[in-house]
Each structure stands twice: as C-alpha cells, then as structure tokens.
Amino acid sequence: MQSSPLSSYHEIKAEVLRRIKDRVWPAGTYLPKETELATEFGCARATVNRALRELADQGIVERKRKSGTKVIALPVRSARFTIEIVRQTIEDQNAEYRYALAMRVEEPAPDWLASRLNLRRGQRVLHLHCVHYADNRPFQFEDRWINIAAVPAVREADLQTIGPNEWLLAEVPFTEAEISFGAIAANAQQAEFLGVPSATALFQLERTTYLRDQAVTLVHMTYHAGYRMMTRY
Amino acid sequence: MQSSPLSSYHEIKAEVLRRIKDRVWPAGTYLPKETELATEFGCARATVNRALRELADQGIVERKRKSGTKVIALPVRSARFTIEIVRQTIEDQNAEYRYALAMRVEEPAPDWLASRLNLRRGQRVLHLHCVHYADNRPFQFEDRWINIAAVPAVREADLQTIGPNEWLLAEVPFTEAEISFGAIAANAQQAEFLGVPSATALFQLERTTYLRDQAVTLVHMTYHAGYRMMTRY
DNA sequence: CAGTGGTCTAGACCACGGT
DNA sequence: CCGTGGTCTAGACCACTGG
C-alpha cells in the first residue's frame, strides 16, 4: 500500500473523502480500522483518528466503538447560520446603522408569556419594542420580553443607545437558546414599524434564551420585506 | 496552582468556560499560554490544546499564533440547522409521508436560470414540481430545476416514487450548496398546491447545489402555512 | 470477553505572524 | 527573530459495546 505517505490529517481527510465520493467505500460500508489506515498511510493512529473524527463531526461517517467507522447512507447536510447582532449585519453591508427604542414597559408577565417561559404568575417583565435601521430604512423590528428576575441589572440599563440584544450579550453571554424561523403576515404594528402594508409576508426569527434553566428573554425579530437569511455548506 | 489535576479535555473545557463566564477571564483578555495551562491543570499540552481548539470552534475564544488565545468580545452564536430530507422530517413527526410528482418537463434553460446557474444559453434542464404530504395534507411544495449535463442519469430516473431530493442525494452526494431562507407571499401555483389562499405568507428555502463548480440543481421548497424551522444552541 | 474507537502523554518540529 | 499555537508521533490505557 502506502502510495505516498500522507502524513497530515488534512491529507488523510481529503483522501478518505475522495474514496467515499468515488464509491471505493460506498455508503453503508465500514472503513478499515484506524490502525490499518495508519499503516496504509504511514502515519500515527492519532493522525487518522483526528481525520476521521472531523469527518464524523461533519456527518459524513458514523463511528462506534467496537463496530468501527461506517459511511453514512444519506448524508445529513447541516448548515450553519451565524446569528449576529443586527448592527453587525447592517454594518457588514456598509450601511449606516441606527437604532431606536420605541417602547419600554415594565409589567407583570401576561399569562401566555408566563407559561411559555415557565415564570411564576405575575412575575415582572420588561417589554420592549425596538427598530433597527439600515441607511434610515427599517431593517428589523424587535419585540422583546425580558425576565427581570434573571437580569435585575436591566432595570438600570440605558437601552436608548445600545440595543437590548447587545446589552444582554455583554451582561449574560453564553446562554442556551431555542430558535425558530418562519414566515408571518405582518400585523398592524409590524407593518407600521417596518413601513409595509399590513399582511405583507415577513421573515421572522424567534428566540428564547435560558441561563441555567431560567428563562432570560423571548424575542421576535421581524425583518423587512424581502429579507433572506443566507449561508453555504 | 493545580487544585485537583483536571486531566480530561472535557473537564478542562468546562473549567475554562467557567472562568470565562465568571469573568475571571473577561471578554477581550488573553488566556495563559497552553504550556502554562498544562502546568496548572497538571496535564499534557495536547490536552489543553484539544480543549481550547473546541472552544475556538464554538466561537467562544479566538486563537492566533504568536498572539495567543483571547476571549471573544461579543460571542457570535452560530446555530446549526439540519436540512433533512422532507420524508425524514415528516416521518419524525409520526405522520404518514406521501409524495407526488406533479410535473416533469425537459426544456432549454430559461435565461434567468441559465445566468443564475452559469449555464450555456439553451442548455437543457429538467423542471419538476413535487408535493410532499404529511398525513395527506400538503407539507411542502418543491419547484426544482436540474442541470441534465451535470447528472445525465436523471433522464432515466423514476421520480414518480422517489423524490428528486433523495434521488440526487444518492446519486451525487457531497455537493456544495448555497442556501437561503425567507418569507414569500404565495403565488397562484404555490397557493393551489399547498391549499392556501393566494398571497398567504409562506416560509421558503432556496438551495443551489454545485458539484465541482458545476451547477447541479436549483430548488425552491415552499412550506405549508405556519411552518417553522427550529433548532437550539 | 474481546475488539474498536476515545483519550492522554511527553516530546518534537513546524509555521505563522508580531516585533 | 522568536514566541505561540498547529500538528505529528509512538506508545499506553481506558470505555463502550457487540457477540
């Protein structure tokens, strides 16, 4: 074997991928064990291991102790979307970012919210409406609820200047979140803030954030008409 | 130092993460170098390396040779969406999957498509309309164009039984793709196939797939009203 | 119980990128 | 130039899991 000793895990990864693509190892079959590949490629087992581990992370192969490494039948393609701060998104487009806080109310959590975020009945929350502009055109409308108990400091926060997203990210980074994307028909409020006719089809991102099992915030971010979220893989 | 020798990279990762969260190492600061951490934790440098590398992959820290490892200021959270085959999605909901091929036409690529996929003018493509049902209710409408030159075998493919997505995935796995999500107002066709009023707000996924720089397929997958794509991170 | 991947080690050399 | 992370090695032990 040992054509020309591949000694970087990049090379090994590429070679293994090539064999899978070229059906040398068709979907469902098992690859040789790590030690065998190490011998074939003339490298240490750790190097093969690193290559295969990354292929497993990418969902190309599946590894199990004792059984070995096998090529996944229908490769599940997973795309990665980076959810940036809106300001970033806008500035990346070389547009001028402007932010406005349209509403800030402290009140007891409405029942639907309390049940959604698992709050005690009547627990106090901060309800915000914000609009993010790109070159003075509305880009995103943000409707956010913050659980005050989870971040008491928010009462003192100056959210006139900094968006709540950025403020929260700096205050309580590294939270767990649940995200969903969907399409909605603009309600009167969204239509007004975004400057579109009512019932316009809009892209919306919903995110619920938790810190150690305690809900921090629920936000609906509704984008201007025609917005598309993109990525490649 | 060396409180209690942490010797698994999991433990080290957790400990480093804890220190970042607890602001022992605030955003923007540099962590000790790998060798120092290895000494502190009483383990090999490779172990520290593995832990820090994974934190870098997660976008928690940023590493650069010579400079060192620093805590990212505003952690960019990236969510991973698995784009499964529709059949999977439906079956995962314990619903009955049914598929119908509504149209199959072979024709020269229209100009907009040719320019979009970088095809020669008039190159022949296969144009398909498919509907995927969950428990006999329309779930997704698929409008797909396939570049015949890229996958000649598609001419013989029986797309009555297997959806083109599954067929393509088996035939040409491991392609590059560009994806975008957005909201659209249903046109007459989409409205009819999905059984909703015209202009209903619908969630749509567009994907362009390439194999070695050659366009393979462009597809618009439009979901039933109310559909949301979910994930957590 | 035994086979395969999972992980750790101690040491080495290399490559990038500030100074 | 030279410090820091990037990677490789040879060898070892461990942990899960299939038979």
Side-chain angles (χ1 to χ4, degrees), chain A residues 6-155:
Chain A
L6 308 179
S7 31
S8 96
Y9 82 93
H10 287 291
E11 291 169 354
I12 294 184
K13 209 173 136 181
E15 172 61 13
V16 169
L17 202 48
R18 189 192 64 73
R19 293 189 189 177
I20 293 176
K21 287 185 180 176
D22 293 354
R23 310 290 167 82
V24 178
W25 293 324
T29 59
Y30 282 87
L31 272 58
K33 45 200 85 159
E34 293 190 347
T35 48
E36 292 174 10
L37 286 175
T39 310
E40 194 209 326
F41 293 138
C43 67
R45 177 166 78 98
T47 308
V48 173
N49 183 281
R50 170 102 189 247
L52 295 186
R53 184 169 12 106
E54 295 204 351
L55 287 174
D57 286 344
Q58 288 174 40
I60 309 286
V61 300
E62 188 179 13
R63 321 190 73 198
K64 222 183 288 179
R65 282 156 150 139
K66 169 78 176 180
S67 340
T69 304
K70 95 174 152 201
V71 182
I72 287 204
L74 290 181
V76 174
R77 308 309 308 254
S78 65
R80 207 163 199 171
F81 287 82
T82 18
I83 321 277
E84 304 175 283
I85 308 241
V86 205
R87 177 167 60 76
Q88 287 291 340
T89 313
I90 291 174
E91 288 175 351
D92 286 353
Q93 297 172 8
N94 289 317
E96 190 207 348
Y97 174 69
R98 189 164 66 81
Y99 156 78
L101 177 61
M103 187 191 82
R104 177 197 165 116
V105 180
E106 188 182 322
E107 59 185 31
D111 288 350
W112 67 268
L113 184 68
S115 99
R116 193 88 176 328
L117 300 186
N118 203 23
L119 305 178
R120 290 190 319 279
R121 267 182 66 91
Q123 192 160 334
R124 296 190 76 75
V125 294
L126 199 59
H127 186 190
L128 307 168
H129 283 172
C130 316
V131 192
H132 303 267
Y133 299 87
D135 283 339
N136 283 321
R137 289 169 27 177
F139 185 87
Q140 183 199 86
F141 170 62
E142 179 179 345
D143 187 350
R144 183 183 291 270
W145 303 81
I146 301 177
N147 176 11
I148 296 181
V151 262
V154 75
R155 275 199 167 113

Side-chain angles (χ1 to χ4, degrees), chain B residues 117-170:
Chain B
L117 300 187
N118 204 22
L119 306 178
R120 292 190 318 278
R121 265 183 68 90
Q123 193 161 334
R124 296 190 75 75
V125 293
L126 199 58
H127 186 189
L128 307 169
H129 282 171
C130 315
V131 192
H132 303 268
Y133 298 87
D135 283 339
N136 282 319
R137 289 169 27 176
F139 185 86
Q140 182 198 87
F141 170 62
E142 179 178 345
D143 187 349
R144 183 184 292 269
W145 303 82
I146 301 178
N147 176 12
I148 295 180
V151 263
V154 76
R155 275 200 168 112
E156 324 301 334
D158 171 25
L159 298 177
Q160 303 281 351
T161 331
I162 302 184
N165 204 340
E166 284 187 64
W167 186 87
L168 282 167
L169 205 46

Side-chain angles (χ1 to χ4, degrees), chain B residues 58-97:
Chain B
Q58 288 175 39
I60 309 285
V61 299
E62 189 179 12
R63 320 190 73 196
K64 223 184 287 179
R65 282 156 150 140
K66 170 77 178 179
S67 335
T69 304
K70 94 172 152 202
V71 182
I72 287 203
L74 291 181
V76 173
R77 307 309 307 254
S78 66
R80 202 161 203 176
F81 287 82
T82 10
I83 319 280
E84 305 175 283
I85 310 240
V86 205
R87 178 166 61 73
Q88 287 291 341
T89 313
I90 292 175
E91 289 175 349
D92 286 353
Q93 297 173 6
N94 289 316
E96 191 206 349
Y97 175 68

Side-chain angles (χ1 to χ4, degrees), chain B residues 198-214:
Chain B
S198 196
T200 302
L202 299 175
F203 181 72
Q204 187 185 61
L205 192 161
E206 174 187 293
R207 176 166 52 190
T208 318
T209 305
Y210 299 89
L211 185 60
R212 290 186 281 272
D213 299 325
Q214 184 183 32

